[in-house]
Short mmCIF file of all heavy atoms in Angstrom, two decimals:
data_model
loop_
_atom_site.label_atom_id
_atom_site.label_comp_id
_atom_site.label_asym_id
_atom_site.label_seq_id
_atom_site.Cartn_x
_atom_site.Cartn_y
_atom_site.Cartn_z
N PHE A 55 26.12 69.28 -104.43
CA PHE A 55 27.51 69.23 -104.87
C PHE A 55 28.34 70.06 -103.90
O PHE A 55 28.15 71.28 -103.79
CB PHE A 55 27.69 69.82 -106.28
CG PHE A 55 26.87 69.15 -107.34
CD1 PHE A 55 26.52 69.83 -108.49
CD2 PHE A 55 26.43 67.84 -107.20
CE1 PHE A 55 25.77 69.23 -109.48
CE2 PHE A 55 25.67 67.22 -108.18
CZ PHE A 55 25.34 67.92 -109.33
N ARG A 56 29.28 69.40 -103.21
CA ARG A 56 30.11 70.12 -102.27
C ARG A 56 31.58 69.92 -102.59
O ARG A 56 31.97 68.91 -103.19
CB ARG A 56 29.85 69.64 -100.83
CG ARG A 56 28.55 70.18 -100.23
CD ARG A 56 28.51 69.95 -98.73
NE ARG A 56 27.43 70.69 -98.11
CZ ARG A 56 26.45 70.15 -97.40
NH1 ARG A 56 26.41 68.86 -97.23
NH2 ARG A 56 25.52 70.91 -96.87
N THR A 57 32.38 70.86 -102.17
CA THR A 57 33.83 70.75 -102.20
C THR A 57 34.34 71.09 -100.81
O THR A 57 34.03 72.15 -100.28
CB THR A 57 34.45 71.71 -103.23
OG1 THR A 57 33.88 71.45 -104.52
CG2 THR A 57 35.96 71.52 -103.30
N TYR A 71 35.38 80.03 -101.60
CA TYR A 71 33.97 79.65 -101.57
C TYR A 71 33.18 80.38 -102.66
O TYR A 71 32.35 79.78 -103.34
CB TYR A 71 33.35 79.96 -100.21
CG TYR A 71 33.96 79.20 -99.06
CD1 TYR A 71 33.83 79.67 -97.75
CD2 TYR A 71 34.67 78.02 -99.25
CE1 TYR A 71 34.38 78.99 -96.67
CE2 TYR A 71 35.22 77.34 -98.19
CZ TYR A 71 35.09 77.83 -96.91
OH TYR A 71 35.64 77.16 -95.86
N ARG A 72 33.44 81.65 -102.79
CA ARG A 72 32.74 82.42 -103.83
C ARG A 72 33.02 81.84 -105.21
O ARG A 72 32.11 81.70 -106.04
CB ARG A 72 33.18 83.89 -103.79
CG ARG A 72 32.66 84.68 -102.59
CD ARG A 72 33.39 86.03 -102.53
NE ARG A 72 32.97 86.85 -101.42
CZ ARG A 72 32.12 87.86 -101.51
NH1 ARG A 72 31.56 88.15 -102.67
NH2 ARG A 72 31.80 88.57 -100.45
N ASN A 74 33.95 78.70 -105.95
CA ASN A 74 33.33 77.38 -106.09
C ASN A 74 31.83 77.48 -106.32
O ASN A 74 31.25 76.73 -107.12
CB ASN A 74 33.62 76.52 -104.86
CG ASN A 74 35.05 76.02 -104.82
OD1 ASN A 74 35.76 76.04 -105.82
ND2 ASN A 74 35.50 75.58 -103.66
N LEU A 75 31.17 78.40 -105.61
CA LEU A 75 29.72 78.59 -105.80
C LEU A 75 29.43 79.08 -107.21
O LEU A 75 28.45 78.68 -107.84
CB LEU A 75 29.18 79.58 -104.76
CG LEU A 75 29.12 79.05 -103.32
CD1 LEU A 75 28.85 80.18 -102.34
CD2 LEU A 75 28.06 77.96 -103.17
N GLN A 79 28.90 74.76 -107.52
CA GLN A 79 28.78 74.07 -106.24
C GLN A 79 27.48 74.52 -105.58
O GLN A 79 27.12 75.69 -105.63
CB GLN A 79 29.99 74.43 -105.38
CG GLN A 79 30.03 73.75 -104.04
CD GLN A 79 31.32 74.08 -103.29
OE1 GLN A 79 32.40 73.86 -103.80
NE2 GLN A 79 31.19 74.64 -102.10
N THR A 80 26.77 73.59 -104.93
CA THR A 80 25.46 73.92 -104.37
C THR A 80 25.41 73.89 -102.85
O THR A 80 24.34 74.08 -102.27
CB THR A 80 24.38 72.98 -104.94
OG1 THR A 80 24.79 71.62 -104.75
CG2 THR A 80 24.19 73.24 -106.43
N GLY A 81 26.52 73.62 -102.20
CA GLY A 81 26.57 73.65 -100.75
C GLY A 81 27.99 73.92 -100.29
O GLY A 81 28.94 73.58 -100.97
N LEU A 82 28.12 74.57 -99.13
CA LEU A 82 29.43 74.86 -98.59
C LEU A 82 29.86 73.73 -97.64
O LEU A 82 29.05 73.22 -96.87
CB LEU A 82 29.42 76.18 -97.81
CG LEU A 82 29.20 77.45 -98.62
CD1 LEU A 82 29.16 78.66 -97.67
CD2 LEU A 82 30.29 77.64 -99.65
N SER A 83 31.13 73.36 -97.71
CA SER A 83 31.69 72.37 -96.79
C SER A 83 32.99 72.94 -96.27
O SER A 83 33.98 73.04 -96.99
CB SER A 83 31.93 71.04 -97.51
OG SER A 83 32.41 70.08 -96.60
N VAL A 84 32.98 73.35 -95.00
CA VAL A 84 34.09 74.12 -94.45
C VAL A 84 35.10 73.20 -93.77
O VAL A 84 34.75 72.41 -92.88
CB VAL A 84 33.59 75.16 -93.43
CG1 VAL A 84 34.76 76.00 -92.90
CG2 VAL A 84 32.54 76.07 -94.07
N PHE A 122 32.49 84.28 -93.99
CA PHE A 122 31.20 84.28 -94.70
C PHE A 122 30.81 85.66 -95.22
O PHE A 122 29.64 85.90 -95.50
CB PHE A 122 30.12 83.72 -93.78
CG PHE A 122 30.30 82.26 -93.46
CD1 PHE A 122 30.63 81.86 -92.17
CD2 PHE A 122 30.19 81.29 -94.44
CE1 PHE A 122 30.81 80.52 -91.87
CE2 PHE A 122 30.38 79.94 -94.15
CZ PHE A 122 30.69 79.56 -92.86
N LEU A 125 28.26 86.24 -98.12
CA LEU A 125 27.55 84.97 -98.32
C LEU A 125 26.38 84.93 -97.34
O LEU A 125 26.57 84.64 -96.16
CB LEU A 125 28.49 83.78 -98.09
CG LEU A 125 29.72 83.70 -98.98
CD1 LEU A 125 30.63 82.55 -98.54
CD2 LEU A 125 29.33 83.53 -100.44
N LEU A 127 23.92 83.74 -95.01
CA LEU A 127 23.81 82.42 -94.40
C LEU A 127 22.39 81.87 -94.43
O LEU A 127 22.20 80.66 -94.41
CB LEU A 127 24.34 82.47 -92.96
CG LEU A 127 25.83 82.82 -92.84
CD1 LEU A 127 26.29 82.68 -91.40
CD2 LEU A 127 26.69 81.95 -93.75
N MET A 130 22.28 79.71 -97.42
CA MET A 130 23.30 78.67 -97.54
C MET A 130 22.84 77.36 -96.91
O MET A 130 22.00 77.33 -96.02
CB MET A 130 24.59 79.11 -96.84
CG MET A 130 25.30 80.33 -97.43
SD MET A 130 26.08 79.96 -99.02
CE MET A 130 25.04 80.92 -100.11
N ASN A 131 23.42 76.26 -97.40
CA ASN A 131 23.36 74.98 -96.70
C ASN A 131 24.82 74.65 -96.38
O ASN A 131 25.57 74.25 -97.26
CB ASN A 131 22.71 73.90 -97.56
CG ASN A 131 22.46 72.63 -96.76
OD1 ASN A 131 23.35 72.10 -96.11
ND2 ASN A 131 21.23 72.13 -96.82
N THR A 132 25.20 74.87 -95.14
CA THR A 132 26.61 74.83 -94.76
C THR A 132 26.93 73.60 -93.93
O THR A 132 26.30 73.36 -92.90
CB THR A 132 26.99 76.09 -93.95
OG1 THR A 132 26.64 77.25 -94.70
CG2 THR A 132 28.48 76.11 -93.65
N SER A 133 27.91 72.84 -94.39
CA SER A 133 28.41 71.71 -93.62
C SER A 133 29.74 72.13 -93.00
O SER A 133 30.64 72.61 -93.69
CB SER A 133 28.63 70.49 -94.53
OG SER A 133 29.28 69.46 -93.83
N MET A 134 29.84 71.96 -91.68
CA MET A 134 31.09 72.30 -91.00
C MET A 134 31.70 71.02 -90.42
O MET A 134 31.10 70.37 -89.56
CB MET A 134 30.83 73.33 -89.90
CG MET A 134 30.41 74.68 -90.44
SD MET A 134 30.47 76.01 -89.21
CE MET A 134 28.99 75.65 -88.25
N TYR A 147 28.85 80.68 -85.77
CA TYR A 147 28.02 80.72 -86.98
C TYR A 147 26.69 81.41 -86.68
O TYR A 147 26.22 82.27 -87.44
CB TYR A 147 27.79 79.29 -87.47
CG TYR A 147 27.14 79.16 -88.83
CD1 TYR A 147 27.92 79.15 -89.99
CD2 TYR A 147 25.76 79.02 -88.96
CE1 TYR A 147 27.34 79.00 -91.23
CE2 TYR A 147 25.17 78.88 -90.20
CZ TYR A 147 25.96 78.87 -91.34
OH TYR A 147 25.38 78.73 -92.58
N GLN A 339 30.96 65.06 -101.79
CA GLN A 339 32.17 65.86 -102.03
C GLN A 339 33.28 64.88 -102.38
O GLN A 339 33.40 63.81 -101.79
CB GLN A 339 32.53 66.72 -100.82
CG GLN A 339 32.81 65.95 -99.54
CD GLN A 339 32.89 66.88 -98.33
OE1 GLN A 339 32.08 67.78 -98.16
NE2 GLN A 339 33.87 66.64 -97.47
#
Side-chain angles (χ1 to χ4, degrees):
F55 302 156
R56 284 194 168 122
T57 303
Y71 297 159
R72 288 169 181 260
N74 286 343
L75 289 168
Q79 182 176 304
T80 53
L82 293 178
S83 183
V84 182
F122 294 112
L125 300 174
L127 297 187
M130 295 289 111
N131 188 308
T132 305
S133 172
M134 293 193 284
Y147 190 88
Q339 60 191 44

